[in-house]
Coordinates of all heavy atoms in Angstrom, one line a residue:
S150 N 85.5 118.9 101.1 CA 84.6 119.9 101.5 C 83.3 119.3 102.0 O 83.1 118.0 101.9 CB 84.2 120.7 100.2 OG 83.5 119.9 99.3
I151 N 82.4 120.1 102.6 CA 81.1 119.6 103.0 C 80.4 119.1 101.8 O 79.7 118.0 102.0 CB 80.3 120.8 103.7 CG1 80.9 121.1 105.1 CG2 78.9 120.5 103.8 CD1 80.8 120.0 106.1
D152 N 80.5 119.7 100.7 CA 79.8 119.2 99.5 C 80.2 117.8 99.2 O 79.4 116.9 98.9 CB 80.0 120.1 98.3 CG 79.3 119.6 97.0 OD1 78.0 119.8 97.0 OD2 79.9 119.1 96.1
D153 N 81.5 117.5 99.3 CA 82.1 116.2 99.0 C 81.5 115.2 100.0 O 81.1 114.1 99.7 CB 83.6 116.2 99.2 CG 84.3 116.9 98.1 OD1 83.8 116.9 96.9 OD2 85.4 117.5 98.4
L154 N 81.5 115.6 101.3 CA 81.0 114.6 102.3 C 79.5 114.4 102.2 O 79.1 113.3 102.5 CB 81.4 115.2 103.7 CG 82.9 115.2 104.0 CD1 83.1 115.8 105.4 CD2 83.5 113.9 103.9
M155 N 78.8 115.3 101.7 CA 77.4 115.1 101.5 C 77.2 114.1 100.4 O 76.3 113.2 100.4 CB 76.6 116.4 101.2 CG 76.6 117.5 102.3 SD 75.8 116.9 103.8 CE 77.1 116.2 104.8
R156 N 78.0 114.2 99.3 CA 77.9 113.2 98.2 C 78.3 111.8 98.7 O 77.6 110.8 98.4 CB 78.8 113.7 97.1 CG 78.3 114.9 96.4 CD 79.3 115.5 95.4 NE 78.9 116.7 94.8 CZ 78.1 116.8 93.7 NH1 77.6 115.7 93.1 NH2 77.7 118.0 93.3
F157 N 79.3 111.8 99.6 CA 79.7 110.5 100.1 C 78.6 109.9 101.0 O 78.3 108.7 101.0 CB 81.0 110.5 100.8 CG 81.5 109.2 101.4 CD1 81.9 108.2 100.5 CD2 81.5 109.0 102.7 CE1 82.3 107.0 101.0 CE2 81.9 107.8 103.3 CZ 82.3 106.8 102.4
G158 N 78.0 110.8 101.9 CA 77.0 110.4 102.8 C 75.8 109.8 102.0 O 75.2 108.8 102.4
R159 N 75.4 110.4 100.9 CA 74.3 109.9 100.1 C 74.7 108.5 99.5 O 73.8 107.6 99.4 CB 73.9 110.9 99.0 CG 73.2 112.1 99.5 CD 72.6 112.9 98.4 NE 73.5 113.6 97.6 CZ 74.0 114.8 97.8 NH1 73.7 115.5 99.0 NH2 74.9 115.4 97.0
E160 N 75.9 108.3 99.1 CA 76.3 107.0 98.6 C 76.2 106.0 99.7 O 75.8 104.8 99.4 CB 77.8 107.1 98.1 CG 78.5 105.8 98.0 CD 78.0 104.9 96.9 OE1 77.1 105.4 96.0 OE2 78.4 103.7 96.8
V161 N 76.5 106.3 100.9 CA 76.4 105.3 102.0 C 74.9 105.0 102.3 O 74.5 103.9 102.5 CB 77.1 105.8 103.3 CG1 76.9 104.8 104.4 CG2 78.6 106.1 103.0
L162 N 74.1 106.0 102.2 CA 72.6 105.8 102.4 C 72.0 105.0 101.3 O 71.1 104.2 101.6 CB 71.9 107.2 102.6 CG 72.2 108.0 103.8 CD1 71.6 109.4 103.7 CD2 71.6 107.3 105.1
R163 N 72.4 105.3 100.1 CA 71.9 104.6 98.9 C 73.0 104.2 98.0 O 73.3 104.8 97.0 CB 70.9 105.5 98.2 CG 69.6 105.9 98.9 CD 68.7 104.7 99.1 NE 67.4 105.2 99.7 CZ 67.2 105.4 100.9 NH1 68.1 105.2 101.8 NH2 66.0 105.9 101.4
P164 N 73.7 103.1 98.3 CA 75.0 102.8 97.6 C 74.7 102.5 96.1 O 73.8 101.8 95.7 CB 75.5 101.6 98.3 CG 74.4 101.0 99.1 CD 73.5 102.2 99.4
A165 N 75.6 103.1 95.3 CA 75.6 102.8 93.8 C 76.9 102.1 93.4 O 76.9 101.4 92.4 CB 75.4 104.1 93.1
L166 N 78.0 102.3 94.2 CA 79.3 101.7 93.8 C 79.5 100.3 94.3 O 80.3 99.6 93.8 CB 80.4 102.6 94.3 CG 80.4 104.1 93.8 CD1 81.6 104.8 94.4 CD2 80.3 104.2 92.3
I167 N 78.8 100.0 95.4 CA 78.8 98.6 95.9 C 77.4 98.1 96.2 O 76.5 98.9 96.3 CB 79.7 98.6 97.2 CG1 79.0 99.4 98.3 CG2 81.1 99.0 96.9 CD1 79.7 99.3 99.7
P168 N 77.2 96.8 96.3 CA 75.9 96.3 96.7 C 75.4 96.7 98.1 O 76.3 96.9 98.9 CB 76.1 94.8 96.6 CG 77.3 94.5 95.8 CD 78.2 95.7 96.1
V169 N 74.1 96.8 98.2 CA 73.6 97.1 99.6 C 74.1 96.2 100.6 O 74.4 96.5 101.8 CB 72.1 97.2 99.5 CG1 71.5 97.3 100.9 CG2 71.6 98.3 98.6
E170 N 74.2 94.9 100.3 CA 74.6 93.9 101.2 C 76.0 94.1 101.7 O 76.3 93.9 102.9 CB 74.5 92.5 100.6 CG 73.2 92.0 100.3 CD 72.6 92.6 99.0 OE1 73.4 93.3 98.2 OE2 71.4 92.4 98.7
L171 N 76.9 94.6 100.9 CA 78.3 94.9 101.3 C 78.3 96.2 102.1 O 79.0 96.3 103.1 CB 79.2 95.1 100.0 CG 80.7 95.1 100.3 CD1 81.2 93.9 101.1 CD2 81.4 95.2 98.9
R172 N 77.5 97.2 101.8 CA 77.3 98.4 102.6 C 76.8 98.0 104.0 O 77.3 98.4 105.0 CB 76.3 99.3 102.0 CG 76.1 100.7 102.7 CD 75.2 100.7 103.9 NE 73.9 100.0 103.7 CZ 72.8 100.6 103.3 NH1 72.8 101.9 103.0 NH2 71.7 99.9 103.1
D173 N 75.8 97.1 104.1 CA 75.3 96.6 105.4 C 76.4 96.0 106.2 O 76.4 96.2 107.4 CB 74.1 95.7 105.2 CG 72.9 96.4 104.6 OD1 72.9 97.6 104.6 OD2 72.0 95.7 104.2
L174 N 77.2 95.2 105.6 CA 78.3 94.5 106.3 C 79.3 95.6 106.9 O 79.7 95.4 108.0 CB 79.1 93.6 105.3 CG 80.2 92.8 105.9 CD1 79.7 91.8 107.0 CD2 81.0 92.1 104.9
A175 N 79.5 96.6 106.1 CA 80.5 97.7 106.6 C 79.9 98.4 107.7 O 80.7 98.9 108.6 CB 80.8 98.6 105.4
L176 N 78.6 98.5 107.9 CA 78.0 99.3 108.9 C 77.4 98.5 110.0 O 76.6 99.0 110.9 CB 76.9 100.2 108.3 CG 77.3 101.6 107.8 CD1 78.4 101.5 106.8 CD2 76.1 102.4 107.3
M177 N 77.7 97.2 110.1 CA 77.3 96.4 111.2 C 78.5 96.1 112.1 O 79.7 96.2 111.6 CB 76.6 95.1 110.8 CG 77.5 94.1 110.0 SD 76.6 92.7 109.4 CE 76.1 91.9 110.9
V178 N 78.3 95.6 113.3 CA 79.4 95.4 114.2 C 80.2 94.2 113.7 O 79.7 93.1 113.5 CB 78.9 95.1 115.7 CG1 80.1 94.8 116.6 CG2 78.1 96.2 116.2
S179 N 81.5 94.4 113.6 CA 82.5 93.4 113.2 C 83.2 92.9 114.5 O 84.0 93.7 115.1 CB 83.5 93.9 112.2 OG 84.4 92.9 111.8
R180 N 82.9 91.7 115.0 CA 83.5 91.2 116.2 C 83.0 91.9 117.4 O 83.5 92.9 117.8 CB 85.0 91.2 116.1 CG 85.6 90.5 114.9 CD 87.1 90.6 114.9 NE 87.6 90.8 113.5 CZ 88.0 89.8 112.8 NH1 87.9 88.6 113.2 NH2 88.4 90.0 111.5
Q181 N 81.9 91.3 118.0 CA 81.3 91.9 119.2 C 82.3 91.7 120.4 O 83.0 90.8 120.5 CB 80.0 91.2 119.5 CG 78.9 91.4 118.5 CD 78.1 92.6 118.8 OE1 78.3 93.3 119.7 NE2 77.0 92.7 118.0
G182 N 82.1 92.6 121.4 CA 82.7 92.5 122.7 C 84.2 92.7 122.8 O 84.8 92.2 123.7
L183 N 84.8 93.4 121.8 CA 86.3 93.6 121.9 C 86.6 94.9 122.6 O 86.0 96.0 122.2 CB 86.9 93.6 120.5 CG 87.0 92.3 119.8 CD1 87.7 92.4 118.4 CD2 87.7 91.2 120.6
R184 N 87.5 94.9 123.5 CA 87.9 96.1 124.3 C 88.8 97.0 123.4 O 89.6 96.4 122.6 CB 88.6 95.8 125.6 CG 88.9 97.0 126.4 CD 89.5 96.5 127.8 NE 89.7 97.7 128.6 CZ 88.8 98.3 129.4 NH1 87.5 97.9 129.3 NH2 89.1 99.4 130.1
G185 N 88.7 98.3 123.5 CA 89.5 99.2 122.7 C 89.3 100.6 123.1 O 88.4 101.0 123.8
V186 N 90.2 101.4 122.5 CA 90.1 102.9 122.8 C 89.6 103.7 121.7 O 89.9 103.4 120.5 CB 91.6 103.4 123.2 CG1 91.6 104.9 123.3 CG2 92.1 102.7 124.4
V187 N 88.7 104.6 122.0 CA 88.3 105.6 121.0 C 89.1 106.9 121.4 O 89.0 107.4 122.5 CB 86.8 106.0 121.2 CG1 86.4 107.2 120.2 CG2 85.9 104.8 120.9
P188 N 90.0 107.3 120.5 CA 91.0 108.4 120.8 C 90.2 109.6 121.3 O 89.2 110.0 120.7 CB 91.7 108.7 119.5 CG 91.6 107.3 118.8 CD 90.3 106.7 119.1
G189 N 90.7 110.1 122.4 CA 90.1 111.3 123.0 C 88.9 111.1 123.9 O 88.5 112.0 124.6
Y190 N 88.4 109.8 123.9 CA 87.2 109.5 124.8 C 87.4 108.4 125.7 O 86.6 108.2 126.6 CB 86.0 109.2 123.9 CG 85.5 110.5 123.2 CD1 86.0 110.9 121.9 CD2 84.6 111.3 123.8 CE1 85.5 112.0 121.3 CE2 84.1 112.4 123.2 CZ 84.6 112.8 122.0 OH 84.2 114.0 121.4
G191 N 88.5 107.6 125.6 CA 88.8 106.5 126.5 C 88.6 105.1 126.0 O 88.3 104.9 124.9
S192 N 88.7 104.2 127.0 CA 88.6 102.8 126.7 C 87.2 102.3 127.0 O 86.6 102.7 128.0 CB 89.7 102.0 127.5 OG 89.6 100.6 127.3
F193 N 86.8 101.3 126.1 CA 85.4 100.8 126.2 C 85.5 99.2 126.1 O 86.2 98.7 125.3 CB 84.5 101.3 125.2 CG 84.3 102.8 125.3 CD1 85.1 103.7 124.5 CD2 83.3 103.3 126.1 CE1 84.9 105.0 124.6 CE2 83.1 104.7 126.2 CZ 83.9 105.6 125.4

Side-chain angles (χ1 to χ4, degrees):
S150 66
I151 287 293
D152 182 74
D153 291 326
L154 294 177
M155 296 299 90
R156 292 173 185 272
F157 181 68
R159 289 193 287 274
E160 164 66 11
V161 180
L162 289 171
R163 297 289 189 276
L166 302 182
I167 64 174
V169 170
E170 294 78 10
L171 193 54
R172 186 280 311 271
D173 291 348
L174 181 66
L176 269 59
M177 67 185 294
V178 181
S179 179
R180 304 176 216 269
Q181 296 270 6
L183 289 184
R184 186 172 183 83
V186 171
V187 176
Y190 288 91
S192 180
F193 298 92

